[in-house]
Structures are given as structure tokens and as C-alpha cells.
Amino acid sequence: MAIIETRKQHDGTLSYRARVRLKGHPEHSQTFTRKTDARDWAQQIEATLRRGRQLPTAEASRRTVAEMIDRFTTQSLPRRARNKDAVKTSALLTWWRERIGDVAIVHVTPALIAECRDELLAGKTTRGGLRTPATVNRYLAAISACFREAIREWHWLEQSPMPAVSRGAEHPGVVRFLSEDERDRLLRATASHGAPWLRPLVMLALATGARRGELLGLRWADVDLERGMVTFHITKNRERRSVPVAGSALTVLRTWADARRADDDRVFPGPLPTLPLNIENAWRDALATADVRDFRFHDLRHSAASYLAMSGATAPEIAAVLGHKTLAMVKRYAHLGEQHTAAVVERMVNKFLPAND
């Protein structure tokens, strides 16, 4: 059974000693500054002992959250994420390190994580606004990844406190895609722009639904102009994906291939072989010329998926083109497919089943 003892320190503060006694096991005890943490720890220890599992070793008990984050950041993160994602994750973990870095990982309870979650929700961002539940969920996901690594790879812990902490409800993102008129204006603007790479880049984005990083990492060795196929090796989920290219997009790509540089194998090279292509200025100019508002380059990916849905593509087909591992991300385009199907049925009924007079 678990016993919580309250002790008064010399300075008047209270501490709480949790003691767990279970028949057939030695007594285990820890001291906490909060009674809630002491109770949670005692419950976890008792449950672990009853399941016949081993408790953390003395060495693991001395490991702190700061040590866990530092090891994850230097050893695990570089091989798990792309540079851009790694920088974002490191920034999130910096908050956790400053907030609970000195806490031993075996003392990190669901109650403590929940308190941090609520603090994140109530705190303001650098821009002065409140954090959204979706943003706070990213913080929770970052520290959760550290705990998973500490359990599976380093064997510092038996279980993570994270599954017992609830996440905030996220609102589904708004799907912004180009209307027919916007698409025509944007493509005309890219064709007349002084950057010759802009039109093939936008055309390929619309034809394949590829992300900006995937497109800028594409090399001519990964392009089969005869078969009309491009293969993306640098993808977000780290899985190679081949996507067909057809029609006017393939024509533009073939024309662009005739102007390829001899000193750089990238399809969209930067000013030097060691520098990436900066598309921001040309992209903003094209949007302004075309009078397309509230539209990001990533929305070209949404546009491609939306066009696929409206062309009758199934959810698995859209997922295969875009490289989604699950169909959950494709559900946002389902209503477009339904609208397309309804229009097809309506045309069929009007043509073959006219109303009786």
C-alpha cells in the first residue's frame, strides 16, 4: 500500500514523502514538494510492482529532463527529422528544458505535464497572442518523443507519463486551393515573370502535389522525361515516392530540361551549386501580378489534391500521389469528390431521365 507523509522543513515549507510497501518487495520511497506528485509517483510504483516489472535503476533515477533533452537533441533528432523540422523541435524542447529541466525523469508525472500544458495554453507567444491547442500539442509531441527514446533506446524508464495527459482538440485546417480563374491568372503571371524557373516549378507543384522541399531537392537523375515520371527521395516521411507527370506539365518540364545547367544536377538550382534556390521574391511577385490573395506555396499541394478529388480520384489514390501514410489527411478533400460525383449524377439524370410533364 502507499503512504504519503507530510513533513515541515526548517524554512516552513512542506514536503511530501511517498512510501510504497508491497508484500514480497522492499519498501520504496521518494520525497516531493507537491502532494499530487507524491501520490502519482506512489501509484505508478505500486502498479509497476504489481505487474512484476522492474523499477528504474538508481542511475536512471538520477537522470534529469535536461539530460534527456540534450541527448535526444544531439543524438536522436538529427537522424529522425529534416533540418527544418529539427530546428523547430529543438525550439520546443528548449521551453521544456527551462521549465522542468532539473526534475528527475522518474519524477515527471502526468500531473506535472498537465500543469505545463495549461501553462503553455495560458502563456503568450512572442507575437503577443495566446497559443492555440494545436501549438501546445506540438510541445507535448516534442517531449513525448524524448520519453519514447528514453524508454526504447536508452532503457532509462519503464513507462512514459505522456499517454495519461490529454491533448487539446484541433480544428481541421481550411483547405485553400486555386479556383479556375485564379489558376489561369497565376500561370500567366509565372510565364511572364523574369525568373525562368518559376513556371516549371509551379506547374510541377500543381501536377504532383509535391512539397516545396521535395521539389527543390529534386535532381535530373530522378526525372524520367520519356516515361513522364519523377521520384522524390527527400520527403517528409522519409519514404521514396514516384509520381507521374503528364500533359502540359510534362511539356513544360521537358522544355525546362533543355536549359539545365551543366554544373548543377538539381532541377531547380540555386545561384551556386552549394546554395538553395530562394523562391520567395519571385513567388510573391507572381501572386501580386495575378491578384491571388491569402495563398501560400504549400497551398499548391492542396490545389493538386483538390483537383484530384474533383477528377474522381479515390482517397487511396490521392494519398499515394501526395505521400500520405494514412487516409486521415485526405479526408479534408472528400467533400470535393462528393460534389464532383453529385454533378456527374445530376448531368446523367437530366440527360437520360427527364421529368415527366
Side-chain angles (χ1 to χ4, degrees):
M1 61 177 293
I3 300 173
I4 308 297
E5 299 174 344
T6 304
R7 295 181 173 184
K8 190 173 184 179
Q9 308 298 321
H10 295 297
D11 60 359
T13 60
L14 298 179
S15 65
Y16 303 90
R17 185 187 183 198
R19 299 168 57 193
V20 178
R21 294 176 177 176
L22 201 61
K23 186 176 180 180
H25 297 274
E27 179 179 313
H28 299 274
S29 65
Q30 287 284 353
T31 301
F32 299 84
T33 58
R34 302 192 318 168
K35 191 173 183 179
T36 301
D37 293 340
R39 186 184 301 112
D40 288 345
W41 178 86
Q43 291 174 350
Q44 290 181 5
I45 295 299
E46 188 172 354
T48 299
L49 293 175
R50 291 187 184 280
R51 290 196 299 268
R53 301 175 68 178
Q54 296 294 320
L55 292 176
T57 63
E59 179 185 1
S61 298
R62 290 193 294 268
R63 299 288 186 176
T64 65
V65 172
E67 289 180 275
M68 177 179 68
I69 289 176
D70 290 344
R71 181 168 179 178
F72 180 84
T73 302
T74 58
Q75 296 184 12
S76 304
L77 191 57
R79 71 171 186 269
R80 290 165 54 98
R82 299 177 302 169
N83 290 338
K84 185 178 179 181
D85 295 330
V87 170
K88 291 180 180 178
T89 302
S90 295
L92 300 177
L93 290 175
T94 297
W95 186 92
W96 287 104
R97 198 182 192 285
E98 295 175 351
R99 176 63 174 79
I100 58 172
D102 59 344
V103 178
I105 57 176
V106 294
H107 294 165
V108 179
T109 62
L112 177 58
I113 296 295
E115 180 181 309
C116 293
R117 175 203 61 200
D118 296 340
E119 184 177 323
L120 282 164
L121 281 169
K124 292 185 177 181
T125 66
T126 54
R127 296 181 180 179
L130 294 177
R131 296 185 181 92
T132 65
T135 298
V136 174
N137 287 347
R138 303 293 87 76
Y139 279 86
L140 294 173
I143 194 66
S144 181
C146 292
F147 277 110
R148 284 197 303 271
E149 203 81 350
I151 293 169
R152 298 174 184 175
E153 297 289 336
W154 314 330
H155 305 290
W156 286 3
L157 284 172
E158 285 288 333
Q159 62 182 11
S160 168
M162 302 307 298
V165 181
S166 62
R167 305 301 204 262
E170 298 187 25
H171 297 291
V174 177
V175 177
R176 172 72 165 97
F177 64 94
L178 292 168
S179 67
E180 184 175 352
D181 186 50
E182 286 179 324
R183 184 182 66 248
D184 291 343
R185 296 201 309 269
L186 181 59
L187 290 178
R188 286 198 299 270
T190 60
S192 60
H193 196 276
W197 47 263
L198 185 58
R199 180 173 175 79
L201 178 66
V202 172
M203 286 287 286
L204 197 57
L206 287 171
T208 64
R211 303 174 180 88
R212 172 162 57 178
E214 295 171 346
L215 291 166
L216 296 184
L218 188 65
R219 297 185 175 275
W220 285 114
D222 305 322
V223 178
D224 189 334
L225 294 173
E226 293 185 4
R227 295 176 55 235
M229 186 75 66
V230 295
T231 301
F232 299 106
H233 295 279
I234 306 174
T235 64
K236 185 176 181 179
N237 59 20
R238 298 184 293 277
E239 290 186 357
R240 185 177 63 181
R241 182 173 83 257
S242 294
V243 182
V245 183
S248 58
L250 181 58
T251 301
V252 169
L253 187 59
R254 285 172 173 166
T255 302
W256 177 239
D258 294 336
R260 74 178 71 179
R261 283 169 43 179
D263 63 336
D264 200 323
D265 188 42
R266 290 176 295 176
V267 176
F268 301 105
L272 294 173
T274 57
L275 295 177
L277 177 64
N278 187 341
I279 72 170
E280 295 301 330
N281 291 336
W283 171 246
R284 285 197 295 265
D285 289 347
L287 290 176
T289 301
D291 193 25
V292 175
R293 304 176 183 179
D294 300 322
F295 194 81
R296 308 163 302 165
F297 189 89
H298 189 77
D299 291 328
L300 294 173
R301 178 173 168 84
H302 294 318
S303 297
S306 300
Y307 299 157
L308 285 169
M310 289 185 286
S311 299
T314 64
E317 289 170 337
I318 297 175
V321 173
L322 269 64
H324 289 312
K325 280 190 170 183
T326 67
L327 300 182
M329 294 296 293
V330 185
K331 290 182 178 179
R332 66 179 75 180
Y333 311 110
H335 70 287
L336 298 173
E338 294 168 357
Q339 293 173 4
H340 170 81
T341 302
V344 170
V345 172
E346 183 179 0
R347 289 196 299 270
M348 181 273 291
V349 170
N350 290 338
K351 181 175 182 179
F352 296 102
L353 302 175
N356 294 326
D357 296 333

